[in-house]
Amino acid sequence: LWVLMATIGIVLLIACANVANLMLVRAEGRQHELSIRAALGATRGELARELLGESLLLGLIGGAVGLGLAYAGLRVLLANAPANLPRVEEITMDPVVFLFGVGVSLAAGLLFGLIPVFKYAGPQTAHALRSGGSRNASASRERHRTRSVLVVVQVALALVLLVGSGLMIQTFRALLSVKPGFTNPEQVLTLSFGIP
C-alpha cells in the first residue's frame, strides 16, 4: 500500500512540476503586463493575489476533473467486477476521499503557484518595464534557472519512478518462482478455528 501511495505521490509531483513550469512560462510572457500594472499602482500583494488566484483555480479545476474521472473509473470497475471479489459493494468514494482530493488540489495549486509569484510579482517588475519587455531579456540564464530546476526535478522523479517500477516487476517475477515449501500444494488444506 505504501509503495502504491509513493508512486501516486511521485506521479503527482511530476505533473505539478510540469504545470508549475507552464505557469512560469505564462507569467514570463505576462511580465510586461505585470510591470505596467505595477507602474500604474498595483501593489505586490495585488499582483500576487492575481497569480495565486489563477493557480488555485487551475488546481481546483484539475482536482474536480480528477475526482470525476475517479468516480467514472470506479463505476466501470464495479460494473466489470468479478463475482467472487469479496466486499465489492463496500468500494465507494466517501467524503474523506473527496476532501482529500480537494485538499491536495488546493495545496498543489498554492505551492506551485507561489513560484511565479516570487519570481514575477516582486520589485523586479519595474526592471522589465525599463527593458521594454524585449525578447533578448527573456533569453538570459537568470530567467531560465527556475524552469531548468523544475525540469531537472521532473527527470529525477521520473527516473526514481522508473527504477522503482522495474524493481517491483523483478520482485514479483522472483516471487512467482518461489517454492511454497511442500511437495504437493494442491493437496494442502488450511483452516482456522477460534477457541472460546
Side-chain angles (χ1 to χ4, degrees):
L1 181 65
W2 290 105
V3 173
L4 181 65
M5 289 174 50
T7 303
I8 292 171
I10 289 173
V11 170
L12 178 66
L13 282 176
I14 291 171
C16 287
N18 196 7
V19 171
N21 209 350
L22 292 173
M23 290 177 66
L24 272 174
V25 170
R26 185 170 185 269
E28 185 176 321
R30 294 179 57 195
Q31 189 177 11
H32 192 68
E33 171 202 342
L34 295 173
S35 301
I36 291 174
R37 286 183 183 212
L40 291 175
T43 64
R44 182 178 181 184
E46 291 170 345
L47 295 175
R49 196 171 23 245
E50 179 183 351
L51 291 173
L52 273 179
E54 292 173 359
S55 174
L56 287 174
L57 182 65
L58 182 65
L60 280 176
I61 290 172
V65 169
L67 284 171
L69 287 174
Y71 183 77
L74 182 63
R75 293 292 146 222
V76 169
L77 174 73
L78 291 176
N80 297 326
N84 59 356
L85 187 65
R87 298 174 22 184
V88 71
E89 65 278 351
E90 295 179 22
I91 302 174
T92 60
M93 285 184 63
D94 58 355
V96 175
V97 172
F98 177 75
L99 289 175
F100 179 77
V102 170
V104 166
S105 299
L106 286 174
L110 182 66
L111 178 67
F112 289 100
L114 286 174
I115 296 172
V117 167
F118 287 134
K119 188 117 175 104
Y120 294 110
Q124 70 272 15
T125 54
H127 174 68
L129 191 59
R130 281 194 294 269
S131 68
S134 66
R135 291 291 176 193
N136 293 338
S138 67
S140 70
R141 189 176 292 177
E142 171 67 28
R143 289 185 177 224
H144 294 295
R145 185 175 298 150
T146 307
R147 291 192 316 194
S148 298
V149 166
L150 285 173
V151 169
V152 167
V153 166
Q154 283 178 298
V155 170
L157 288 173
L159 184 64
V160 167
L161 192 63
L162 184 65
V163 169
S165 62
L167 289 173
M168 192 180 332
I169 290 171
Q170 184 180 0
T171 302
F172 181 72
R173 292 178 76 189
L175 283 174
L176 289 177
S177 64
V178 169
K179 301 290 184 202
F182 39 84
T183 56
N184 296 324
E186 64 276 354
Q187 296 177 354
V188 172
L189 176 68
T190 62
L191 62 110
S192 63
F193 59 93
I195 300 174

